[in-house]
């Protein structure tokens, strides 16, 4: 398990790889409306939805971890996505989400500090990309604090505010 110090709280966070039997645990996070409203999968309501997401996270070109707080509770998820849909060769998508009560504690920043190294080691990535809804100000601020640059904003009929595409070298 990857250990991560969180300077803001003084806690030692950990990354535990997601496993095949983790759908119920994943659903405890993805069923929260505050999480789902900013994620492409939306708020999940069934174990089958969480199982499908878990299967995607466990594809060979991806890596995913539960973020555990100092007490060992799953408080978030960190995902690296490989494959051609993530951008030019060497690109790797990154996604983080946390329980609302765990936001603004420095967990996202702490986890992002190790994601570049994990992407390089696990997926031979040279660049991280993050797709963030334009109206998700806190996530955009975190990306910018972690050295990501806004590359472009994409617009879709079902997402009128736009989807911001950020990237940075690993």
């Amino acid at each position: 398990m990857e250990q991560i110090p969180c300077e803001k709280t003084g806690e030692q966070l950990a990354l535990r790889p997601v496993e095949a039997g983790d759908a119920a645990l994943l659903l405890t996070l993805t069923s929260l409306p505050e999480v789902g409203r900013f994620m492409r999968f939306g708020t999940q309501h069934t174990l089958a939805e969480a199982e499908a997401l878990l299967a995607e996270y466990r594809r060979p070109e991806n890596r995913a971890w539960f973020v555990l707080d100092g007490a060992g509770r799953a408080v978030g998820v960190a995902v690296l996505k490989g494959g051609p849909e993530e951008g030019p060769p060497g690109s790797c998508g990154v996604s983080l989400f946390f329980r609302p009560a765990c936001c603004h504690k420095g967990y996202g920043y702490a986890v992002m500090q190790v994601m570049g190294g994990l992407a390089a080691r696990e997926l031979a990535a040279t660049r991280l990309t993050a797709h963030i809804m334009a109206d998700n100000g806190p996530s955009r601020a975190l990306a910018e604090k972690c050295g990501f640059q806004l590359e472009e904003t994409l617009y879709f009929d079902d997402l009128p505010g736009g989807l911001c595409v950020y990237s940075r070298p690993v």
Side-chain angles (χ1 to χ4, degrees):
M1 236 185 304
E2 186 91 18
Q3 299 293 312
I4 304 168
C6 179
E7 292 179 18
K8 191 169 183 179
T9 65
E11 289 177 81
Q12 189 73 11
L13 305 177
L15 295 180
R16 177 180 72 75
V18 299
E19 298 171 355
D22 282 337
L25 181 56
L26 184 60
L27 186 61
T28 67
L29 294 160
T30 60
S31 65
L32 299 170
E34 302 92 334
V35 171
R37 76 184 192 133
F38 289 122
M39 302 303 291
R40 66 162 182 75
F41 52 74
T43 302
Q44 295 191 329
H45 303 285
T46 68
L47 191 57
E49 290 172 314
E51 287 168 343
L53 184 61
L54 184 65
E56 178 185 329
Y57 287 170
R58 290 181 44 81
R59 288 183 4 212
E61 67 271 19
N62 299 333
R63 302 290 184 276
W65 299 265
F66 282 106
V67 179
L68 308 179
D69 67 7
R73 295 177 297 245
V75 295
V77 174
V79 182
L80 293 172
K81 295 181 181 179
E85 65 274 4
E86 296 304 324
S91 293
C92 177
V94 61
S95 179
L96 301 176
F97 56 91
F98 292 90
R99 292 184 186 283
C102 297
C103 293
H104 308 288
K105 288 187 171 187
Y107 293 175
Y109 182 78
V111 171
M112 282 302 291
Q113 298 311 299
V114 301
M115 294 306 280
L118 288 170
R121 185 174 73 227
E122 298 278 334
L123 299 171
T126 57
R127 189 154 202 78
L128 289 176
T129 60
H131 295 81
I132 304 170
M133 290 183 186
D135 59 347
N136 188 345
S139 290
R140 292 182 63 193
L142 173 63
E144 291 167 7
K145 182 177 180 180
C146 293
F148 284 79
Q149 299 291 316
L150 178 63
E151 301 288 333
E152 65 180 319
T153 302
L154 307 172
Y155 296 95
F156 304 94
D157 291 339
D158 63 338
L159 195 60
L163 183 67
C164 298
V165 180
Y166 284 87
S167 70
R168 73 168 178 130
V170 296

